Amino acid sequence: MFALTNKVAVVTGASSGIGRATAKLFAEEGAKVVVAGRRQAELDVLVAEIAEAEGAAIAFAGDVRDEAYAKALVDLAVGRFGGLDIAFNNAGSVGQMGPVPDMLLETWHETIDTNLTGAFIGAKHQVPALLERGGGSLIFTSSFVGHTAGMPGMAAYAAAKAGLIGLTQVLAAEYGAQGLRVNALLPGGTDTPGATTTTPEARAFVEGIHALKRMAQPEEIARSALYLASDASSFTTGTALFADGGVSINRT
Ligand SMILES: NC(=O)c1ccc[n+]([C@@H]2O[C@H](COP(=O)([O-])OP(=O)(O)OC[C@H]3O[C@@H](n4cnc5c(N)ncnc54)[C@H](OP(=O)(O)O)[C@@H]3O)[C@@H](O)[C@H]2O)c1
């Protein structure tokens, strides 16, 4: 049910954190994986680890804001592995934080471009290849920030992550009839280099706002991505799936 045998996946943001753990899990479940991120060296280490575990992966470094790169990732999946069945558009970053009146337009654009426009560009080139194989699964990493929580200082990030849910819903409606499922994954605070928990106080705060009183390990979020990628979620499309340790409902 959760197996990805003979499936081909593209995972962005695979050089670190949630994307890295997900690429490894997808490969463990039998998928051939194209791993993406800007840091080639980190991607190469990941490919070597996957190969050591007898999985198949190739790395291709670039910036998700670059449309030529988005297209090249799909071309690589099709050229080297024969097609595309799963795309996990996960690359993202909180960007520079601060109150709206102090936020430079440049900062706003950078955060929106990385988290939202990059995912749109990815989907634009992935959808035709996914349909070519009869559908498949398209997943975006959104966040509780911008959906169930207004976190001060995170306006651009929240707007981008909320935008991904709208993009998810439209794509799910546009391509459901052709067998393509499209979902957003909403992690809670996750213990990755991208988390904003740089001090013990910040970490204690983030842990405390979750019902489970801890942060997630990236492998836990990867398992939810596997659910959305696999046939286990065959009747799930257009959703915003929480894997958030209860941060969205917690009031204690
Ligand atoms: N950690 C959390 O608490 C949390 C909670 C909710 C949602 N999320 C979301 O989860 C996703 C993964 O984050 P993470 O926590 O795993 O953080 P992470 O460890 O910092 O990973 C972020 C990944 O995105 C890639 N990336 C960032 N900007 C990019 C760009 N312009 N072009 C290409 N790749 C880019 C990074 O690769 P390079 O640096 O090599 O380019 C890296 O692989 C993000 O979308 C994040 O917003 C995280």
Side-chain angles (χ1 to χ4, degrees):
M1 190 67 72
F2 288 88
L4 301 180
T5 319
N6 297 324
K7 303 285 188 195
V8 180
V10 167
V11 177
T12 72
S15 55
S16 176
I18 292 167
R20 187 179 205 282
T22 303
K24 285 187 90 164
L25 185 58
F26 282 5
E28 254 173 56
E29 291 297 330
K32 301 181 181 77
V33 189
V34 176
V35 294
R38 287 167 299 184
R39 289 168 293 166
Q40 183 75 50
E42 275 77 359
L43 295 175
D44 288 343
V45 171
L46 173 62
V47 166
E49 284 177 23
I50 290 174
E52 208 169 307
E54 305 198 344
I58 31 174
F60 183 34
D63 194 311
V64 288
R65 294 168 290 184
D66 173 4
E67 185 162 5
Y69 175 61
K71 181 179 182 308
L73 280 176
V74 174
D75 290 346
L76 188 61
V78 173
R80 290 283 284 275
F81 294 142
L84 184 65
D85 305 289
I86 299 155
F88 184 35
N89 290 300
N90 163 75
S93 99
V94 165
Q96 207 175 313
M97 291 171 55
V100 169
D102 298 341
M103 191 174 283
L104 298 175
L105 189 55
E106 194 186 340
T107 302
W108 170 270
H109 280 309
E110 179 159 346
T111 305
I112 296 285
D113 286 353
T114 301
N115 291 281
L116 179 58
T117 312
F120 154 74
I121 294 170
K124 176 181 166 179
H125 292 280
Q126 292 152 5
V127 165
L130 290 162
L131 295 179
E132 190 72 29
R133 298 259 276 202
S137 176
L138 182 53
I139 307 160
F140 299 100
T141 306
S142 177
S143 177
F144 65 97
V145 177
H147 190 59
T148 55
M151 305 290 274
M154 301 178 89
Y157 181 74
K161 292 303 188 185
L164 285 175
I165 294 176
L167 179 63
T168 296
Q169 291 174 352
V170 171
L171 284 168
E174 281 180 343
Y175 296 106
Q178 292 170 73
L180 177 61
R181 295 185 301 104
V182 187
N183 292 287
L185 177 58
L186 280 60
T190 307
D191 205 356
T192 70
T196 52
T197 48
T198 45
T199 63
E201 293 75 22
R203 188 179 175 103
F205 169 76
V206 171
E207 287 177 345
I209 62 175
H210 292 73
L212 293 180
K213 302 298 172 201
R214 66 176 179 86
M215 293 176 73
Q217 290 306 303
E219 290 75 15
E220 297 181 276
I221 309 303
R223 289 197 286 275
S224 294
L226 174 62
Y227 167 70
L228 291 175
S230 70
D231 288 345
S233 62
S234 57
F235 204 58
T236 301
T237 196
T239 62
L241 180 77
F242 293 106
D244 75 348
V247 70
S248 294
I249 53 85
N250 189 56
R251 295 291 179 275
T252 62

